[in-house]
Amino acid sequence: MADIVITEFMDEAAVARLAHAHDTLYEPDLVDDLAALHDHLASARVLIVRNRTQVNETLLSMGPRLKVVGRLGVGLDNIDVMACKARSIRVIPATGANNISVAEYVITAALMLLRGAWLRSSEVADGHWPRQAMMGRELAAKTMALVGFGEIAQEVAWRAHMMGMQVVAYDPYLAADHPGWQIARNVSLDAALELGDVVSLHTPLTEATRNMINATALSGMKPDAVLINAARGGIVDETALAEALAAGRLGGAALDVFETEPLSAEAGARFKGLANTILTPHIAGVTGESNQRVSELIADKVLEVLGGQV
């Protein structure tokens, strides 16, 4: 039976390092077979997951020997951290390893949504030549508003600043003397929504942030502003967002995360036919490079805990 169980995709070189030192089970689709996962946990000392595996009391009870839960990413809302702590199970996120990937996703989405032309290739392929309609807008001189100003948001701020944007941010938990405020102006949530030409979300999902961006919040944004959520599903009221987009009360949106994942066809139908809308399957932080960094970091930490560093 395996010492290490990996339920979702991981860089194979990192998996090989783990397997060289300890009995390792790597099944990227194991998350979808809970009965098999429960069986494999009986002997496991380490469980490695991404965001789809729900590490809750039920799952933890199936792993009496668990010492470590490794998270191939940074968000911990799929892991019951308190339950792990009560069982003396160490939770290890891959802090910092995918910051660049998420920051580049946000800047790319902002460029695509403001410029608009890249979303209309089919029209040109059909023989149309709508140059005036595709003019779009520049990023420079616009305002980037960041809701949450942690490490990833600060990476976005630096890139936005270098591209000529003004940067404002809302984060009541970040110290007023933090160096990040040298790039971004510290404002309230209402001010961030009001000022932003691009509003990018960077908060965890908590009871306080659930549906933070609701109909009222959306009504406080500029009618041509664009919204980007590469943080956590549930922060945005998706129905309210779709209604605002359909009514022309918002300039566009990019969603990489959703309240329920994977996004079902039924839930996704509300966004069908909406212009200037980008939907991606929770991959803002996943590139070839970031996957390697995240995987290697978790492999290093697991091997350190278990012994047998390779």
Side-chain angles (χ1 to χ4, degrees), residues 11 13 16 28 36 47 53-55 59 73 75-76 94 109 111 116 120 134 153 192 199 205 214 216 235 253 257 268:
D11 182 71
L47 174 64
T53 307
Q54 298 302 308
V55 185
L59 197 69
L76 298 177
L111 287 165
R120 300 173 66 175
M134 285 192 184
V199 176
L205 179 63
N214 53 24
T216 301
I235 297 171
V257 290

Side-chain angles (χ1 to χ4, degrees), residues 215-261:
T216 301
L218 291 167
S219 69
M221 293 173 60
K222 297 178 181 180
D224 61 352
V226 300
L227 176 71
I228 302 170
N229 186 11
R232 282 292 175 268
I235 297 171
V236 175
D237 181 332
E238 294 168 15
T239 299
L241 174 61
E243 290 174 355
L245 291 166
R249 297 194 302 270
L250 203 64
L255 299 180
D256 183 55
V257 290
F258 302 89
E259 185 168 7
T260 300
E261 296 182 4

Side-chain angles (χ1 to χ4, degrees), residues 2 21 76 114 194 264:
L76 298 177
L114 288 178
E194 180 183 347
S264 67

Side-chain angles (χ1 to χ4, degrees), residues 13 42 49 51 56 62 86 88 95 101 104 114 125 140 173-174 226 243 251 259 280 287:
V49 304
N51 63 293
N56 50 31
M62 302 294 176
S88 299
T95 304
S101 298
E104 288 188 356
L114 288 178
Y173 303 105
L174 193 66
V226 300
E243 290 174 355
E259 185 168 7
T280 53
T287 60

Side-chain angles (χ1 to χ4, degrees), residues 17-214:
R17 287 180 56 216
L18 292 171
H20 183 76
H22 300 278
D23 190 358
T24 299
L25 174 73
Y26 174 48
E27 292 187 10
D29 298 323
L30 188 58
V31 60
D32 297 315
D33 188 346
L34 288 180
L37 173 55
H38 290 170
D39 288 342
H40 290 304
L41 283 178
S43 64
R45 292 189 289 163
V46 176
L47 174 64
I48 298 178
V49 304
R50 284 190 181 267
N51 63 293
R52 291 184 57 215
T53 307
Q54 298 302 308
V55 185
N56 50 31
E57 282 278 10
T58 300
L59 197 69
L60 292 171
S61 69
M62 302 294 176
R65 300 183 66 222
L66 278 176
K67 295 175 62 176
V68 175
V69 174
R71 167 71 167 92
L72 297 164
V74 293
L76 298 177
D77 37 295
N78 63 310
I79 299 174
D80 188 332
V81 176
M82 295 306 295
C84 289
K85 184 177 181 180
R87 295 169 182 268
S88 299
I89 298 171
R90 183 177 174 186
V91 177
I92 304 175
T95 304
N98 63 0
N99 290 2
I100 293 172
S101 298
V102 179
E104 288 188 356
Y105 176 99
V106 171
I107 294 297
T108 301
L111 287 165
M112 290 182 69
L113 290 169
L114 288 178
R115 195 64 182 265
W118 291 298
L119 303 175
R120 300 173 66 175
S121 298
S122 61
E123 296 178 44
V124 179
D126 287 340
H128 302 293
W129 205 246
R131 295 184 69 204
Q132 188 171 349
M134 285 192 184
M135 282 195 301
R137 295 176 285 163
E138 295 177 353
L139 204 66
K142 300 293 188 298
T143 297
M144 172 69 78
L146 300 162
V147 178
F149 200 44
E151 289 185 4
I152 293 175
Q154 290 167 39
E155 290 281 357
V156 174
W158 180 81
R159 286 163 174 78
H161 174 73
M162 293 300 291
M163 297 183 77
M165 298 188 80
Q166 303 297 315
V167 183
V168 300
Y170 164 72
D171 194 324
Y173 303 105
L174 193 66
D177 60 353
H178 190 280
W181 296 121
Q182 295 176 16
I183 293 179
R185 182 156 59 96
N186 190 348
V187 299
S188 67
L189 175 60
D190 288 344
L193 297 176
E194 180 183 347
L195 294 169
D197 296 294
V198 179
V199 176
S200 184
L201 307 180
H202 296 273
T203 69
L205 179 63
T206 66
E207 287 308 308
T209 63
R210 185 175 296 279
N211 285 336
M212 171 191 284
I213 306 302
N214 53 24

